[in-house]
Amino acid sequence: MEINTEKFYVLYDGDCGFCNYWVQWILRRDQKDLFLFASLQSDFGQNFLKSRGLENKIFNTLILWSPEKYYLTKSEALLKIAKLLGGKYQILASMNILPLFLTNFFYDKISKNRHKIKIKNCSLPTEKERQKMI
């Protein structure tokens, strides 16, 4: 697969309903067409993790990857996504004034319990949204 260096790749737990809900949330707000998505369990996700020596059996983090530049995890990834979405979501990005250990503490608490969080509806992606899935 060819990597698009103009896009940001969001890697997430594909078996988690809560995580999938937030992927759909980002998809609906990605007006600038910035993001592509892959589950951590996919071939793409596994290759990404293995090539960086990252854990490839436990999927308790979100990763935002900007090819040839950086990758961010946990709350850093969330805050960067909010900043990239822009508009009113940049307010969330202003939380980066808090220490990383504190924002990651809250991220880890939610991540630990994410499979217990019930999502009322699960929408199917549109054809355009499906094209953003790796």
Side-chain angles (χ1 to χ4, degrees):
M1 178 192 157
E2 190 174 320
I3 300 299
N4 184 337
T5 58
E6 303 296 314
K7 299 287 186 182
F8 295 88
Y9 291 75
V10 178
L11 290 86
Y12 63 97
D13 181 354
D15 292 334
C16 170
F18 182 72
C19 304
N20 280 285
Y21 170 83
W22 285 106
V23 165
Q24 294 296 319
W25 187 91
I26 296 166
L27 274 167
R28 289 190 303 272
R29 288 156 180 82
D30 184 17
Q31 301 301 312
K32 301 174 199 169
D33 192 30
L34 296 173
F35 300 102
L36 295 173
F37 301 86
S39 75
L40 291 164
Q41 295 91 333
S42 69
D43 289 342
F44 182 90
Q46 287 292 294
N47 288 335
F48 178 89
L49 295 170
K50 289 175 185 175
S51 69
R52 287 159 183 81
L54 300 171
E55 170 61 54
N56 71 327
K57 301 282 187 232
I58 300 172
F59 309 111
N60 62 351
T61 191
L62 174 75
I63 298 173
L64 177 67
W65 178 44
S66 180
E68 300 178 8
K69 295 177 186 162
Y70 61 82
Y71 71 88
L72 304 172
T73 62
K74 299 183 179 189
S75 64
E76 268 189 309
L78 286 176
L79 296 173
K80 183 67 172 183
I81 290 168
K83 184 175 183 178
L84 291 166
L85 286 173
K88 61 185 174 186
Y89 306 109
Q90 283 189 277
I91 295 168
L92 177 63
S94 68
M95 287 184 61
N96 69 357
I97 62 169
L98 298 174
L100 186 59
F101 79 88
L102 186 58
T103 56
N104 276 344
F105 171 81
F106 290 111
Y107 182 95
D108 289 338
K109 288 291 184 190
I110 293 169
S111 176
K112 183 178 178 181
N113 294 292
R114 70 190 186 283
H115 292 289
K116 298 175 188 173
I117 299 171
K118 301 293 182 208
I119 302 298
K120 291 190 178 194
N121 63 5
C122 181
S123 62
L124 294 174
T126 65
E127 180 59 36
K128 184 180 176 183
E129 292 171 340
R130 279 194 294 276
Q131 293 174 4
K132 298 176 110 183
M133 301 296 197
I134 299 171

